Amino acid sequence: MQVRTRHTPSYGVARLMLAPGEPVRVESGSMLATSYGVTVESRAQGGFFKSLARSALGGESFYVSTYTAPQQGGWVDVAPTLPGDLNVLELDGRVGWCVTRGCWVASASTVQVETQWGGFQNLFGGEGGFLTRVSGHGSAVVACYGALDVVTLQPGECITIDTGHVVAYADTVQSQLRQMNQGVAQSLKSGEGLVFDFAGPGQVLTQTRNPRGLVGWLRANGLGPRS
């Protein structure tokens, strides 16, 4: 599979170029268009319980759609829900990536996608206690809300990032979740004030906009669900 992106960085679309008979896994609801003859099958990826974990705990859809190119090859266009940039992770079988909820869009059939426990405190932080982990060989497409920043950490170099701005980080990076301020009750309720400490070596992908801020704005203007 080859990936070609367009309309980045504001409204990114990824075109997944497929060889004859090649399948690709896509987050349910992310397909924009396909070339003629591409077939699709949606199923609970990895069985019922793994799919339930992805949906209820990892922030992804219960079903994963598998698109398969016809004998002449084909393509699938995918786009995320929120406006923003796209990034293609090229997996070499050695380093996997942890992707935060809602950011995984698609990956080659040779890439393993699983739900991974991200820490007990994460569950109360409003970001979801589970992460989507991608590993293996091939390309994986992740999306962000706003623009994408890539932070490359040297061995022992540290950085602190708000939980709502983290998109993904490499397995080589050490992470720790902690409270930034003193408002314990408010932090546990809304996720505000919780940050990740990362230590290198490795890369961390961040987004310039926080989806939590969008939800707050919608609620404040009577446009979204109220808790």
Side-chain angles (χ1 to χ4, degrees), residues 29-227:
S30 295
M31 189 275 287
L32 178 65
T34 74
S35 60
Y36 185 78
V38 171
T39 60
V40 60
E41 180 182 16
S42 296
R43 63 171 57 185
Q45 186 67 34
F48 176 82
F49 290 106
K50 286 187 177 180
S51 295
L52 183 62
R54 288 184 65 255
S55 176
L57 304 174
E60 311 292 348
S61 300
F62 183 85
Y63 293 100
V64 171
S65 298
T66 299
Y67 292 84
T68 304
Q71 290 307 306
Q72 67 269 26
W75 53 263
V76 179
D77 278 356
V78 295
T81 301
L82 295 175
D85 208 348
L86 294 171
N87 189 71
V88 182
L89 303 175
E90 297 295 349
L91 305 176
D92 59 4
R94 294 178 297 176
V95 178
W97 284 77
C98 293
V99 184
T100 57
R101 62 184 304 155
C103 291
W104 176 78
V105 179
S107 57
S109 59
T110 52
V111 172
Q112 287 76 53
V113 180
E114 58 188 352
T115 303
Q116 176 174 295
W117 175 241
F120 183 73
Q121 286 179 295
N122 243 6
L123 189 62
F124 294 97
E127 302 301 328
F130 288 75
L131 303 167
T132 297
R133 183 177 183 273
V134 293
S135 60
H137 293 82
S139 301
V141 180
V142 296
C144 69
Y145 179 32
L148 182 80
D149 277 328
V150 180
V151 180
T152 301
L153 299 175
Q154 301 303 316
E157 183 180 2
C158 300
I159 190 172
T160 299
I161 304 175
D162 180 273
T163 54
H165 288 274
V166 176
V167 174
Y169 55 92
D171 280 349
T172 56
V173 176
Q174 299 181 52
S175 65
Q176 170 184 284
L177 186 75
R178 65 178 174 86
Q179 182 188 339
M180 188 75 170
N181 56 33
Q182 300 300 315
V184 178
Q186 183 62 26
S187 293
L188 294 181
K189 180 180 178 181
S190 67
E192 295 288 351
L194 291 175
V195 296
F196 272 117
D197 290 327
F198 293 108
Q203 289 187 329
V204 181
L205 307 184
T206 67
Q207 55 192 4
T208 59
R209 296 294 181 268
N210 189 336
R212 199 166 54 223
L214 175 61
V215 173
W217 184 88
L218 291 172
R219 287 175 175 171
N221 288 274
L223 301 174
R226 298 181 180 274
S227 57

Side-chain angles (χ1 to χ4, degrees), residues 1-4 14-19 22 69 73-77:
M1 181 182 80
Q2 296 182 340
V3 183
R4 301 175 183 172
R15 174 159 294 186
L16 314 176
M17 305 297 298
L18 305 176
E22 182 180 9
W75 53 263
V76 179
D77 278 356

